[in-house]
Amino acid sequence: MNNRILGLFAFLFVLTLGFVSCAKDTDVADPYANWKERNEQFLDSIADVANNPPSGEIWRKFENYKIKFQEQINNPISPYEYQTYNYVYVKYDSEADIFDGSEPLINFTDTVSLAYQGFLINDTRFDGNYYGTFDKEVNDNYTKFDVSDNGYIVGWTTAMIHMKPDMSDKATVYIPYQMGYKEEGSGSTIKGYSTLIFEIYIDEVIHPYKNQ
């Protein structure tokens, strides 16, 4: 009887070691490891693509609106030397949605109704009002944003005022952390130094803005 008990204990001990070994072999890598470096490298790669788009891809970049407007007012002669992180980068799904004008088509007094999803560079979804692939023919869930709201990050507002009110398809917006939540981050998901990636589709622009 004692031999059987000892044998059972020996078997359980070996089994436990096996579980511990498996746990060590299947450790999950930290999705935020080297986060600042990875985000800076990612943004550099996006800037390179935006500056030299592959055949068939449609890209534009737009200056930080605060810097642009301040420079126009305070320093119109000596232009500001923009860095990679002073731009929002936009990839369009449709050439018809390209904005190349000098005057915004969406104003600070407008309200924008749109469908959107937000991601980090590790594919973590942190916000949005739809899931999966966007289809304007079936999507009916839109969120209204007051463009003049100072609570939005600079990159979001910069993107909004450079969109067309009557988009035919979605666009993908890349916002550097310097124009997003900076070094501090936001909440438990958006860590500091996070590049923000938004898929957006503007359904309607309401002007002037009216509280509802």
Side-chain angles (χ1 to χ4, degrees):
M1 186 69 174
N2 289 338
N3 289 338
R4 290 182 180 180
I5 294 175
L6 290 174
L8 179 61
F9 277 125
F11 172 75
L12 291 175
F13 178 74
V14 172
L15 189 63
T16 302
L17 289 178
F19 279 127
V20 171
S21 177
C22 288
K24 289 182 179 179
D25 291 340
T26 57
D27 281 346
V28 178
D30 180 4
Y32 296 99
N34 304 315
W35 195 236
K36 179 181 179 182
E37 179 183 356
R38 286 166 58 195
N39 277 271
E40 290 176 343
Q41 291 175 351
F42 177 84
L43 185 68
D44 286 341
S45 68
I46 290 297
D48 288 341
V49 173
N51 290 326
N52 302 282
S55 177
E57 293 191 4
I58 309 164
W59 288 82
R60 292 293 186 274
K61 63 181 183 181
F62 302 108
E63 305 98 323
N64 180 323
Y65 83 93
K66 286 190 173 182
I67 295 177
K68 183 177 180 180
F69 290 163
Q70 289 172 357
E71 287 300 302
Q72 288 175 344
I73 296 172
N74 301 323
N75 193 19
I77 298 177
S78 178
Y80 179 83
E81 294 185 7
Y82 286 90
Q83 306 298 316
T84 301
Y85 52 80
N86 294 138
Y87 293 94
V88 164
Y89 301 88
V90 182
K91 181 183 179 183
Y92 296 93
D93 280 20
S94 172
E95 191 171 357
D97 295 330
I98 296 175
F99 174 83
D100 281 328
S102 58
E103 295 297 327
L105 298 177
I106 296 176
N107 300 311
F108 288 101
T109 54
D110 291 342
T111 296
V112 178
S113 176
L114 54 79
Y116 74 103
Q117 287 192 100
F119 299 91
L120 305 180
I121 65 169
N122 61 8
D123 294 327
T124 298
R125 183 184 185 277
F126 62 84
D127 198 5
N129 55 16
Y130 74 93
Y131 288 87
T133 302
F134 176 75
D135 185 343
K136 68 176 182 177
E137 301 300 329
V138 299
N139 189 81
D140 60 358
N141 187 26
Y142 299 102
T143 302
K144 292 181 179 179
F145 292 92
D146 175 7
V147 179
S148 66
D149 191 331
N150 289 327
Y152 298 136
I153 57 174
V154 174
W156 178 262
T157 305
T158 298
M160 286 299 100
I161 64 174
H162 287 98
M163 293 290 118
K164 280 190 172 182
D166 52 348
M167 292 179 67
S168 62
D169 209 334
K170 72 174 177 67
T172 305
V173 177
Y174 300 85
I175 300 176
Y177 74 81
Q178 292 89 341
M179 296 173 66
Y181 293 105
K182 305 185 183 299
E183 295 85 357
E184 294 80 13
S186 177
S188 60
T189 302
I190 304 177
K191 304 295 185 182
Y193 306 105
S194 291
T195 301
L196 307 178
I197 306 168
F198 287 99
E199 295 178 356
I200 64 172
Y201 170 79
I202 295 178
D203 176 62
E204 181 185 12
V205 175
I206 304 167
H207 177 77
Y209 174 71
K210 295 180 180 180
N211 287 315
Q212 298 181 354

